[in-house]
Every structure is written in C-alpha cells, then in structure tokens.
Amino acid sequence: MRRRTVFSALAGGVLLAGTAASTGVATSPPGAETVQLSLLDNSINQPEGKNQASAAWLEETVIPAFEEAMAAAGTPVEVSFEGRGVDDEDYKSQLALDLGAGEGPDVFSIDGIWVGEFATAEYIAPLADVVGPAADEWDGWAQINEAVQGNASFEGQRYGIPQGTDGRVIYFHKDLFEQAGLPADWAPTTIDEVLDAARTIKEALPDVTPIQLNGGVAMGEATTMQGALPLLAAAGGQVYDEESGLWTGASPAMLEMLGTYATVYGDEGLGNVDWQLLTDGRDQTFEAFANGEIAMLIESDYLWRSVVNPETGNFPMEGRDEIVGYTRIPAYEPGGALGGLDFASMSGGGAWVLNPNTEHPDLAWELMTFILSPDVLAERYSETAQITARDDTNAAILSNDPMLSFVASEVLPVTHYRPGLAEYPAVSVALQEAVEAVVTGTSPEDAAADFEAALADIVGEDNITQEDPAAVAPSDSGATDGSAPAASEAPGTDAPDDSAAPEPSVAPDTGAPVDTGASADTGAPATSAAPGDTAAGTEP
C-alpha cells in the first residue's frame, strides 16, 4: 500500500515541476508515437543481487512514475531498464565499448572517478553541449554544493549530476578522551592539535593506540583516501591540478603529509605499524576502535552507518551515539588547506550522465533530473539514511542522524574528489607505496623522491609540477628524519592493487557497491560502480 501511495504522489503532480509540463519540452499531439528511452545502472533487481535496492527503486518507483508524469504532460515515454549487476570493471569496460561505438543507453550511471577519463575519451560530453541552456538552468544545482558538483565535473564543466557522496572525518572515543583529560567536544583547528591529543592519550592510556592513520599498500585505496589525500589537502596540496593539468610530485605539501606519517609511526609510536601491513589490517582497526583500543581514526561516514552501527554493524557499538565523537580534519595551519580553507576532506560518489549520441536529449535530460528530484531521491533513502548530493534531500532524510547531518552540512563544503583520469589508479598505488615506505622507516624526503620518480614513469616528467620541496620546510606536524621503526614481519603484505579491488572483508556488501550514491568508504575501488550504489569503500 505504501508503494502505491508513493507512486501516486510522484506521478500525480508532486514532481511534475521536473517534467515536460514545466520545462518547455514540446508536448506531442494526441496519438503521437511513444518515445523509447533506455536507462542503465550497475544493479539488478534479484534477491542478493548487486545493488538490488537501487534496481528495485528504479524499476518499481522511478520508471513508472516518470512514464505516468510524462503521459500526463502529453509526451508519452517508455523507459527500458538495463540492469547489469556485474563486476565494476566489466561494467565500465562494456559501457566504454558501447559509447565508443556511438551506441549505449540514453541515461546511465558511472562512478564519479570515471568522469574525467570518459570525458577525455569523448565518451561523454558537457551537459550544456548535449541539452543546451536547460542544463545550466536546472533549479537542482542550487541544492548541490559546488564541491559536490565537482564529482561529476571535469575541467570546469558539468558532465553529469551526482546522486550521493560521503566524507572523511576524525572519529574519536569520548570515553577515552575523558580518561585522558581531553574534552568530549574536541574540535582541533590544526594537525598539530591532533598530534598533541595523540601524545596525551599515549601518556595517559599506554594500552590504547592513540591514532589510526591508514598507511600501507595492503590497505589499498583506503590508505590514499583516508590518509594521504586528506592530509595532502590539509597541507594545501592535491595530487592533480585540473587548472594546470599537472600532477604533484615531491612538493612541500607532499613532504608535510609524509612527515605526519613519520611522526605517527616513528619514534613517538602514536600508531600501530603492524596493522598497516596486514591484508586484514583495516578490519582489525575497525574492531579495535569498536572495542575502545584505538582513540582516534580517520574514516568516512561508512564507519558510522555500517561498521559500528549498533544494529547492523560488523562490529556493533552499543551506545555508539554517546561514545563516538567526530570532527573535521583541520588544516596544518588555519587557512592553509586546499582552497584556502581551514579544514579538508575527501569524498567519493557516483553520478548520472547522458549519452551524447542520444536521439532524444531533451527527454533524456527530463528523465535524469526526475531521478534526482528531491522527492524521488528521498524515496530511495527512506529506509536507510545516507548522504545524497542534494542539501534539501539531506535535510529531509538525515534529521534523525546527527553524524550524517554533520557530514552533509559541515564536511561536504570543504571536501575534494580524486582526479577522474585513467592514470589515477596507478598514481594511487605509488602514493600507497610512498606512505608505507615512511611507515616502515624511510625518510619522508626519500619516499617523496621515489614517489616522484614513479609518478614520472606513470604520467611522464613533463606532466609533473616542478617544485623545490626544500623551499618550504615541513612544520612540526611532520617528522622528516625517517625515524619510523622497521615493522615486524607481517603476513599478507603483497596485497593486490586496491584501485580495482573491493573494500576490506568487513563490509558484507563490499564486492557489491554499498548503496550510498557514494563510495561507501574508499578502500573503494578507484573504478567503482554506479551512482546510487557506488562501490563500497569510496570508498569509495
């Protein structure tokens, strides 16, 4: 009965503001031939199927409501749903082949990290080129933070509309902080304050690991997204600059980031080296945090809504809402984060995109904006609150979850996204190797130099920013003496490249993308899946 009520509301006029009735698409004369549109998503509406909830939403709610609304507006449309439910890389490869041949669906989902790669290959085109002025006039843009719009943009142009996203924060145990004499409302304004808190924890609670900062190749993309890139952004840097088209090598910001790893895992012993080298190390850190054995860790909202969820988590925390605190990742110096901001984060997520070869660009645009209209999107997440790209939808569906509301309102405005280029997965692995080198005893300077050499092999020397890292000395936040001790022998350090691997085993749905509209938490594949259900582990 509920489904029928929702369907009737969607089709009966609540959402007609997003259809041909109000956007100027010409209506058809009585008896006109029905227009055929195709919709592709990497989901399948079968029990235990990949992203089954997303497929059910599209098939049972979105498509029928859109068809009825368009019929009422005088423009009959029939939408065929192409649900795949396959490995993310297979989905991506087949889609690229279809688009490259001038074929493919009218509207389709991709991971935001594919946007730049697909745009460069001319598989997709700027929305304004496909549908004209309507693309920039859509009222939904006002509800999508500019930073979040970046997940479906490339070189300053919008190629799609993001559906969902996530954000990285510093989680902390309020009870452990209290025992160490630290405030329950802790909100650091510099990385030095974070490290000082870790030192206080170590002195007061010697049996507790003060901070977990993902730091090894075995942790794959989780090292890049939950460690290297957020800290790089906090230092004012980025791994790739869209404006210049250049990659970042051994820059001062890179040294700052690597220096922090040296501080955490070096002589000060603020983190556990061994966890970083184990194939299940990330799972172990999740369990340790849930058990009160880690005081702080940087993770995405995936930890909150999935890992330590009191009801459904892999490591459920009774009293989570009272015990677990969260705060933004601060800059190394106020105003020193990327974009001149005081804080930084990294996000993942998926997007809906139009086929530039569609025979019906106006109607394809109507379908895509209908999918991403507030009521339709809210229906998707009516039972499992997750962060969407829209501020109005987040306000409606996240009101009972202060943590997700915090990410939506406070973290997304300061977030950044990975470069959506074909070279990125290999660059990410090189970053992971540089971080692990520091964690196991290499100096930040040597690790940065090795990273730049690896980067040159990947992207070419001419495509790297030429900076003199000695021109700006790292702050006290990062040791640069290579004092990290050698790690003990750890099994399973030859982990595969996580840029194409699923999230750690802790997530039951990590092979299948978690339904976040975002990389649920990047240990995520750099080549993750669909927008409404992008690969677990943004995080992707």
Side-chain angles (χ1 to χ4, degrees):
M1 194 61 154
R2 178 176 179 276
R3 173 74 63 184
R4 182 172 181 177
T5 301
V6 170
F7 173 84
S8 298
L10 298 183
V14 173
L15 297 176
L16 282 178
T19 67
S22 65
T23 57
V25 175
T27 57
S28 304
E33 183 177 349
T34 299
V35 174
Q36 303 293 322
L37 291 177
S38 55
L39 176 68
L40 173 69
D41 184 48
N42 195 16
S43 61
I44 190 164
N45 191 7
Q46 297 177 356
E48 307 301 322
K50 187 171 189 174
N51 300 326
Q52 188 271 338
S54 180
W57 169 64
L58 291 168
E59 284 191 297
E60 299 171 13
T61 298
V62 174
I63 292 175
F66 178 74
E67 290 176 343
E68 184 169 327
M70 294 303 291
T75 306
V77 174
E78 185 175 285
V79 180
S80 61
F81 177 63
E82 301 175 16
R84 293 283 171 82
V86 297
D87 178 79
D88 298 333
E89 195 61 32
D90 291 340
Y91 176 84
K92 178 186 178 185
S93 298
Q94 185 60 56
L95 181 57
L97 287 172
D98 292 342
L99 295 171
E103 301 175 353
D106 297 289
V107 181
F108 55 93
S109 64
I110 61 174
D111 192 319
I113 199 171
W114 304 348
V115 169
E117 183 179 351
F118 275 41
T120 301
E122 298 185 348
Y123 297 154
I124 58 177
L127 291 175
D129 291 352
V130 181
V131 299
D136 292 328
E137 295 168 357
W138 181 52
D139 60 5
W141 294 123
Q143 296 295 332
I144 302 177
N145 185 280
E146 186 174 348
V148 177
Q149 290 184 33
N151 194 40
S153 301
F154 181 65
E155 295 184 342
Q157 298 190 82
R158 299 174 179 132
Y159 281 78
I161 304 176
Q163 175 173 318
T165 190
D166 59 8
R168 273 91 196 131
V169 300
I170 303 175
Y171 290 96
F172 61 96
H173 257 279
K174 292 182 180 180
D175 52 353
L176 297 179
F177 267 52
E178 182 179 0
Q179 293 174 43
L182 294 167
D185 60 351
W186 181 67
T189 58
T190 66
I191 292 295
D192 276 335
E193 291 179 18
V194 176
L195 296 175
D196 285 343
R199 296 178 182 112
T200 298
I201 297 272
K202 181 179 180 181
E203 182 175 352
L205 304 171
D207 293 333
V208 171
T209 298
I211 187 169
Q212 165 59 22
L213 183 61
N214 292 343
V217 176
M219 290 193 177
E221 191 68 10
T223 289
T224 311
M225 279 291 280
Q226 269 79 272
L229 293 185
L231 291 180
L232 190 61
Q238 55 190 330
V239 73
Y240 177 78
D241 181 6
E242 272 196 6
E243 290 188 9
S244 67
L246 297 175
W247 295 82
T248 300
S251 67
M254 187 70 66
L255 274 177
E256 192 97 72
M257 177 270 289
L258 292 173
T260 300
Y261 275 96
T263 298
V264 170
Y265 294 108
D267 288 341
E268 292 198 49
L270 303 177
N272 183 324
V273 173
D274 290 347
W275 275 331
Q276 316 316 309
L277 308 179
L278 297 167
T279 54
D280 66 341
R282 189 156 175 246
D283 290 3
Q284 290 193 29
T285 66
F286 288 156
E287 184 173 16
F289 182 78
N291 292 337
E293 298 165 7
I294 293 175
M296 293 179 281
L297 82 168
I298 297 178
E299 277 291 344
S300 81
D301 51 88
Y302 164 73
L303 179 85
W304 176 270
R305 57 184 168 75
S306 294
V307 178
V308 298
N309 186 300
E311 298 177 358
T312 61
N314 298 86
F315 303 110
M317 290 183 68
E318 185 177 352
R320 176 201 63 181
D321 295 7
E322 293 72 39
I323 296 172
V324 179
Y326 38 85
T327 189
R328 292 181 292 182
I329 301 167
Y332 282 82
E333 297 178 359
L338 185 59
L341 300 172
D342 294 329
F343 300 92
S345 187
M346 292 298 299
S347 296
W352 288 99
V353 183
L354 300 180
N355 187 334
N357 298 309
T358 177
E359 295 180 2
H360 308 286
D362 291 341
L363 292 175
W365 171 250
E366 293 294 333
L367 174 57
M368 186 164 77
T369 54
F370 187 89
I371 293 170
L372 296 164
S373 56
D375 291 351
V376 172
L377 202 54
E379 168 64 10
R380 172 65 190 88
Y381 301 111
S382 61
E383 297 179 1
T384 55
Q386 294 174 22
I387 300 167
T388 77
R390 295 189 62 119
D391 293 339
D392 50 0
T393 302
N394 288 335
I397 67 175
L398 303 180
S399 58
N400 293 325
D401 194 313
M403 192 278 156
L404 296 182
S405 295
F406 175 81
V407 173
S409 62
E410 302 295 329
V411 176
L412 294 188
V414 300
T415 201
H416 306 280
Y417 291 85
R418 297 169 288 181
L421 298 171
E423 298 90 346
Y424 172 77
V427 173
S428 177
V429 173
L431 265 178
Q432 296 160 29
E433 292 170 345
V435 167
E436 182 173 300
V438 172
V439 168
T440 55
T442 300
S443 73
E445 292 83 359
D446 288 346
D450 290 344
F451 168 73
E452 182 162 316
L455 184 64
D457 289 340
I458 298 167
V459 305
E461 289 186 10
D462 293 343
N463 296 312
I464 299 175
T465 300
Q466 298 303 311
E467 294 188 72
D468 178 9
V472 180
S475 73
D476 292 339
S477 302
T480 58
D481 58 0
S483 58
S488 59
E489 287 295 321
T493 56
D494 298 326
D497 171 5
D498 194 36
S499 64
E503 265 231 285
S505 58
V506 65
D509 42 4
T510 54
V514 169
D515 193 18
T516 64
S519 325
D521 185 53
T522 20
T527 53
S528 52
D533 303 287
T534 22
T538 154
E539 247 211 154

